[in-house]
Amino acid sequence: GLTSAPIPSTNTTGITYYYVSQTNDICESTRSMITVKVNSKPVLGSDQNLRICYGHSANLLPLYNTIGLTSNWTLNQVAVNNPVNISTAGIYQLVAVNNSGCIDTAIVTLTIQPPVTANAGLDGNAELNAPYQLQGSGGLQYQWSPAFPLNNSQFANPIAILSDDTRFILKVTDEIGCVDYDTVYI
């Protein structure tokens, strides 16, 4: 006769009971029960991209919930011993295993921003109470201090009207909030 053995399959975790028997023409054997236990797998969530400032480090641990799981981070198949203090760009893989031996993985692509280099220009001489243009560069956002002698302390190249010698501090910020400072004496 024809022999067929379907493969039990389910996406539902827990225990499912299947019954199997053999049929010969019109006679069916006694049914035997097969118990199939489907274990749940950990669900880490989606892969992530992370950018950090040059000279800083990242903590990978809070990115995924691994409570109750055995988890390991790797970079290029090499174990990462301290995932709370990462300062090397690359593709990090997290492998998490639950008590049933089921696995999930997640990928974190870590990018390091190029260094921000603030430039407040060269020290110079200004005429008393006459407009003098400062020359800032190096970022996306600018903050000059002190702000009061300037027409706009958030311009890269603000106009200063000075009545005293002044040391300006320029804070430059890039698109993800990385900063650098420079000073100029006028």
Side-chain angles (χ1 to χ4, degrees), residues 26 42 74 83 116 125 129 151 169 174 176:
I26 59 170
T74 57
V116 177
N125 296 309
N129 293 322
N151 65 333
I169 300 170
D174 75 1
I176 71 162

Side-chain angles (χ1 to χ4, degrees), residues 116-121 135-139 142 144 156-157 170 172 182:
V116 177
T117 304
N119 185 349
Q135 300 291 325
S137 64
Y142 298 88
W144 291 90
N157 303 316
L170 174 61
V172 173
D182 194 23

Side-chain angles (χ1 to χ4, degrees), residues 81-154:
N81 294 325
N82 192 6
V84 300
N85 188 17
I86 300 298
S87 57
T88 303
I91 298 172
Y92 291 82
Q93 182 179 40
L94 171 63
V95 176
V97 183
N98 67 13
N99 292 335
S100 303
C102 299
I103 296 173
D104 193 19
T105 62
I107 299 291
V108 175
T109 303
L110 179 66
T111 307
I112 298 175
Q113 285 289 98
V116 177
T117 304
N119 185 349
L122 299 173
D123 291 350
N125 296 309
E127 187 178 329
L128 182 68
N129 293 322
Y132 181 88
Q133 188 165 35
L134 297 172
Q135 300 291 325
S137 64
L140 189 65
Q141 296 175 325
Y142 298 88
Q143 182 63 56
W144 291 90
S145 177
F148 63 85
L150 303 174
N151 65 333
N152 189 325
S153 64
Q154 296 181 358

Side-chain angles (χ1 to χ4, degrees):
L2 181 65
T3 303
S4 67
I7 298 171
S9 176
T10 180
N11 289 327
T12 306
T13 59
I15 295 176
T16 305
Y17 301 100
Y18 294 91
Y19 295 89
V20 64
S21 66
Q22 180 178 6
T23 304
N24 186 355
D25 293 330
I26 59 170
C27 297
E28 182 182 357
S29 69
T30 306
R31 293 182 178 189
S32 296
M33 184 174 69
I34 297 174
T35 304
V36 176
K37 180 180 180 191
V38 177
N39 295 317
S40 63
K41 74 176 217 140
V43 179
L44 292 173
S46 58
D47 295 345
Q48 298 190 40
N49 294 312
L50 186 61
R51 291 198 308 179
I52 62 172
C53 298
Y54 180 84
H56 290 91
S57 63
N59 182 354
L60 301 179
L61 292 185
L63 298 178
Y64 296 98
N65 181 358
T66 58
I67 294 171
L69 305 172
T70 302
S71 60
N72 293 297
W73 285 95
T74 57
L75 172 63
N76 302 322
Q77 286 88 38
V78 176
V80 174
N81 294 325
N82 192 6
V84 300
N85 188 17
I86 300 298
S87 57
T88 303
I91 298 172
Y92 291 82
Q93 182 179 40
L94 171 63
V95 176
V97 183
N98 67 13
N99 292 335
S100 303
C102 299
I103 296 173
D104 193 19
T105 62
I107 299 291
V108 175
T109 303
L110 179 66
T111 307
I112 298 175
Q113 285 289 98
V116 177
T117 304
N119 185 349
L122 299 173
D123 291 350
N125 296 309
E127 187 178 329
L128 182 68
N129 293 322
Y132 181 88
Q133 188 165 35
L134 297 172
Q135 300 291 325
S137 64
L140 189 65
Q141 296 175 325
Y142 298 88
Q143 182 63 56
W144 291 90
S145 177
F148 63 85
L150 303 174
N151 65 333
N152 189 325
S153 64
Q154 296 181 358
F155 284 174
N157 303 316
I159 304 293
I161 304 217
L162 302 175
S163 57
D164 283 307
D165 294 349
T166 305
R167 179 175 306 280
F168 289 97
I169 300 170
L170 174 61
K171 176 184 175 184
V172 173
T173 308
D174 75 1
E175 69 272 13
I176 71 162
C178 304
V179 298
D180 191 37
Y181 297 87
D182 194 23
T183 61
V184 65
Y185 187 71
I186 309 296

